[in-house]
Amino acid sequence: MEEATKHTYIIDPENAGELARLMQQDRLLTEGMGGLFPEGQQLPEGGRVLDLACGPGGWDLEVAFHYPHVEVIGIDISQQVIEYARAQAQSRGLENAHFQVMNVMEPLAFPDSSFDLINGRLLCGFMLPEAWPRLLKECFRLLKPGGIVRLTEMESPLTTSPSYEHFFHLGTQALKLAGQSFSPDGGHVGITPVLPRLVRQAGFEEVRLRASVIEWSMGTEGHYPVFKDALLFLELVQPFLIKMGMGTKEELERLYQQAVAEMQQEDFCALWNLLTVRGRKPGTTDEAAL
């Protein structure tokens, strides 16, 4: 697919291993954040939800299942994951879940005031700083008056593994060199401090923040699923790090193996911090408010 060749993902979205990782990560994020809508918003009868860069569609399918009166549309640049999501919707009989190939850094092919809620999670893996204001402007256009935009982003996890910390630091440095970071020095991803301001600048009101923390220390319920996600991420991100001059294949492989060993130590401690920014488009509709 021509569009996929132009992607800015730090991991190839067409990679089969990435599809497997994202399938697991969907469930992990939803559970770690406290459910589909932990902020407590309600969806109106006949409402429409858009999910940005939906990946394999785990969140979308759960929303469609639990809210059968709502239409859920997921969009993603990867033809492979969209086909997977469509197959899952069909196998589960979820006729209110739909998926389309679309690049969220380009104008989106929907009419004005089409949606009651727009969701996005972990877009920092491909978004360019200059693309964020354009995307939020599109969200503003696509939402009905009173509609909600809801974006969840992350910074580097906090761990006691020196090798994991070093590996992730190489990743944030590479993002900075690639022009895909808000961080002034590449010390972190940099999206969470600026996201609330970006949402306000796009015209949204009542901007609210909600923090979520997933503990994945050894011996906790979250350790194995996040450890599994980390294993795949550290493996799949290596071509990007090599491309950006962060190390050789051999150097990164040694660092990877050391990080894997350290993450399995009995005294390993770790937190994965997430920030959800929620804003409302001014105005009201005749439908029930979110």
Side-chain angles (χ1 to χ4, degrees):
M1 188 179 91
E2 183 180 357
E3 284 187 351
T5 63
K6 300 178 181 178
H7 72 79
T8 54
Y9 282 78
I10 62 175
I11 297 175
D12 182 1
E14 301 290 345
N15 185 295
E18 177 67 348
L19 175 59
R21 186 181 77 89
L22 293 175
M23 288 164 54
Q24 175 195 290
Q25 191 185 79
D26 263 341
R27 296 187 296 271
L28 179 61
L29 287 173
T30 297
E31 292 173 6
M33 292 170 60
L36 295 170
F37 299 108
E39 303 87 2
Q41 60 255 39
Q42 299 296 312
L43 297 173
E45 189 77 24
R48 300 182 80 218
V49 173
L50 176 66
D51 190 27
L52 305 169
C54 65
W59 183 87
D60 310 67
L61 296 169
E62 287 303 303
V63 173
F65 176 78
H66 290 285
Y67 298 85
H69 61 283
V70 167
E71 180 185 11
V72 185
I73 299 176
I75 60 174
D76 197 278
I77 197 173
S78 169
Q79 182 73 43
Q80 178 181 337
V81 299
I82 288 297
E83 289 175 355
Y84 173 85
R86 286 171 177 167
Q88 289 298 303
Q90 184 176 7
S91 68
R92 295 177 61 176
L94 297 173
E95 297 181 358
N96 58 327
H98 309 282
F99 298 92
Q100 299 182 35
V101 176
M102 212 172 290
N103 184 350
V104 305
M105 289 201 293
E106 300 293 337
L108 302 178
F110 301 106
D112 295 357
S113 303
S114 292
F115 298 98
D116 299 276
L117 183 141
I118 297 178
N119 181 71
R121 301 199 301 197
L122 303 188
L123 308 186
C124 61
F126 65 89
M127 283 290 286
L128 303 174
E130 62 268 22
W132 278 101
R134 295 197 300 267
L135 175 59
L136 285 162
K137 183 178 180 181
E138 274 292 272
C139 291
F140 192 90
R141 178 183 72 81
L142 294 176
L143 282 167
K144 300 173 184 178
I148 298 294
V149 66
R150 176 180 181 263
L151 301 171
T152 301
E153 293 297 335
M154 62 171 279
E155 294 295 337
S156 306
L158 302 174
T159 81
T160 56
S161 163
S163 299
Y164 181 90
E165 294 287 304
H166 182 46
F167 209 117
F168 219 98
H169 181 69
L170 293 177
T172 57
Q173 289 286 324
L175 279 174
K176 182 65 177 177
L177 287 173
Q180 293 179 227
S181 172
F182 281 101
S183 173
D185 59 2
H188 53 289
V189 178
I191 180 57
T192 59
V194 302
L195 187 56
R197 185 169 185 263
L198 290 170
V199 172
R200 289 192 295 267
Q201 287 179 330
F204 291 97
E205 299 179 343
E206 301 174 23
V207 176
R208 301 287 184 268
L209 278 60
R210 184 181 189 275
S212 305
V213 180
I214 301 173
E215 184 186 8
W216 55 295
S217 304
M218 177 58 77
T220 65
E221 184 178 345
H223 178 261
Y224 181 71
V226 183
F227 169 67
K228 188 176 177 182
D229 180 80
L231 283 181
L232 285 168
F233 175 78
L234 294 182
E235 179 182 349
L236 294 170
V237 79
Q238 289 182 43
F240 172 68
L241 298 183
I242 294 169
K243 176 184 175 183
M244 299 309 300
M246 295 294 107
T248 66
K249 181 178 180 180
E250 293 73 22
E251 289 169 341
L252 292 175
E253 180 61 26
R254 285 195 296 271
L255 187 62
Y256 169 79
Q257 294 296 341
Q258 186 61 34
V260 170
E262 291 169 3
M263 287 188 286
Q264 296 181 88
Q265 296 297 314
E266 288 189 6
D267 59 351
F268 174 73
C269 298
L271 298 175
W272 186 5
N273 300 300
L274 303 158
L275 179 70
T276 300
V277 180
R278 180 179 182 274
R280 186 181 69 85
K281 181 175 179 177
T284 59
T285 66
D286 293 334
E287 298 174 349
L290 287 175

